[in-house]
Amino acid sequence: MADSFSGMRILVTGGAGFIGSHITAALAEAGHDTVVLDAQPPPERSAAGAGSARWIRCDVRDEQGVGEALHGVDAVCHQAAMVGLTADFGDAPDYVGTNDLGTAVLLAAMARAGVRDLVLAGSMVVYGEGRYTCGEHGDVRPGPRRPAELDAGRFEPPCPVCGATLEPGLVGEDAPADPRSVYAATKLAQEHLAAAWARATGGRAVSLRYHNVYGPGMPRDTPYAGVASFFRSALARGDAPAVFEDGRQRRDFVHVRDVAGANVAALEAVADREDGTLRAYNAGSGTPHTVGEMAEALARAYGGPHPRTTGQYRLGDVRHITASSARLADELGWRAGVGFAEGMAEFAAAPLRDAPPPVR
């Protein structure tokens, strides 16, 4: 980390949240001054170091509050969002309002304040299905999975040309976007808004496309959390983790401290980006595991009960999505440092926190 960037003042939106609190702590440890803006109050047990931040409690859609939070700020780390797969399409206005209108309000306030550096919490969900290769037709893009196929237990997407079995691989940042849920659509819209802001203002933006983030401080028992939180919450209740489909879905599970480190690296490097541009980076461990493997590792570390495979599915879920994080390593020098077994063992013993009510 370059010494020339020490001592920045950075606004972290959503800094009371799971990932945001870890980022705030990592920035403080790196010698930066942090301002946290969040609709929720600071958690009673935030990540170490987060308590030294200046806190502003307001919604990211509050133009006046956001404008005040930007006073004297050098860069923004935008984490505030409604996350996860929608429980019902009726949630769509809340997702669009929080994620896209909130981002637009923030970017407009940054333009007025002359703040030109942004790191955005992106997501791997913008890709839809991951990268697939057919032995005969090479790289292909399977279409959305159909309920009739899923009901029959046929979970693997076939080659859209010949119907053959496909081999999943690592997806790179230049893969076409194909959002397949409301949440995914809002995350892609955030990137488009940030790119438009950068072009209009000469700003510099980085989008870190998080893969499956897990670790201490995840919210418990909420339909909007990731699968790691579902499994950990079940274990805490004494229930067997319920693994959907056949458990062979491939994901990239990345520890929250690694994601926080990626944000620090991006914030310290964003000023070196070309003016008027947005650059996307996958932020994953680079080592795929199946959902079933993750449930097994977590249950084993926790001491049981053993996971159960249900065959159930969520229509908005994709089958396989795993990252290549080579660009982030090559350009910013970041690499994940927490191994899968180590991270799951820690997560099994780490406390969860109560989920805050969703912002409306």
Side-chain angles (χ1 to χ4, degrees), residues 120 122-123 126 187-196 207 209 278 280:
L120 171 68
S123 175
V126 301
K187 296 307 290 183
L188 183 58
Q190 283 185 316
E191 288 195 1
H192 288 321
L193 287 167
S207 178
R209 292 174 176 170
L278 178 142

Side-chain angles (χ1 to χ4, degrees), residues 178-255:
D178 186 16
R180 298 189 177 184
S181 68
V182 171
Y183 173 61
T186 66
K187 296 307 290 183
L188 183 58
Q190 283 185 316
E191 288 195 1
H192 288 321
L193 287 167
W197 162 83
R199 288 192 297 270
T201 65
R204 298 167 292 250
V206 165
S207 178
L208 295 176
R209 292 174 176 170
Y210 302 158
H211 282 246
N212 289 72
V213 185
Y214 73 97
M218 286 194 87
R220 73 175 80 243
D221 296 322
T222 168
Y224 301 98
V227 66
S229 178
F230 295 165
F231 293 165
R232 179 67 176 76
S233 295
L235 290 167
R237 296 192 303 269
D239 297 334
V243 180
F244 279 16
E245 300 185 20
D246 57 4
R248 296 176 183 170
Q249 313 92 299
R250 286 160 54 102
R251 295 292 188 268
D252 186 320
F253 299 100
V254 58
H255 196 279

Side-chain angles (χ1 to χ4, degrees), residues 81-306:
M82 190 171 177
V83 301
L85 191 65
T86 50
D88 183 272
F89 196 84
D91 291 333
D94 293 325
Y95 276 84
V96 174
T98 302
N99 297 355
D100 298 339
L101 176 58
T103 298
V105 169
L106 172 66
L107 294 171
M110 290 175 65
R112 290 190 295 269
V115 179
R116 294 289 180 263
D117 293 332
L118 170 72
V119 173
L120 171 68
S123 175
M124 53 98 178
V125 296
V126 301
Y127 299 118
E129 288 286 350
R131 180 172 175 264
Y132 292 86
T133 303
C134 172
E136 182 177 352
H137 297 101
D139 288 349
V140 294
R141 296 179 63 199
R145 297 192 294 170
R146 300 181 182 278
E149 296 294 310
L150 298 171
D151 287 337
R154 292 188 288 270
F155 301 119
E156 294 289 347
C159 174
V161 181
C162 67
T165 300
L166 298 175
E167 180 67 26
L170 301 182
V171 64
E173 291 87 350
D174 294 328
D178 186 16
R180 298 189 177 184
S181 68
V182 171
Y183 173 61
T186 66
K187 296 307 290 183
L188 183 58
Q190 283 185 316
E191 288 195 1
H192 288 321
L193 287 167
W197 162 83
R199 288 192 297 270
T201 65
R204 298 167 292 250
V206 165
S207 178
L208 295 176
R209 292 174 176 170
Y210 302 158
H211 282 246
N212 289 72
V213 185
Y214 73 97
M218 286 194 87
R220 73 175 80 243
D221 296 322
T222 168
Y224 301 98
V227 66
S229 178
F230 295 165
F231 293 165
R232 179 67 176 76
S233 295
L235 290 167
R237 296 192 303 269
D239 297 334
V243 180
F244 279 16
E245 300 185 20
D246 57 4
R248 296 176 183 170
Q249 313 92 299
R250 286 160 54 102
R251 295 292 188 268
D252 186 320
F253 299 100
V254 58
H255 196 279
V256 67
R257 285 197 301 274
D258 284 330
V259 168
N263 274 271
V264 175
L267 284 160
E268 294 182 339
V270 67
D272 293 332
R273 299 289 316 148
E274 182 182 350
D275 291 357
T277 61
L278 178 142
R279 183 72 161 162
Y281 296 93
N282 288 329
S285 72
T287 304
H289 290 274
T290 68
V291 172
E293 287 171 343
M294 190 271 283
E296 290 276 1
L298 191 59
R300 185 167 54 250
Y302 193 83
H306 191 271

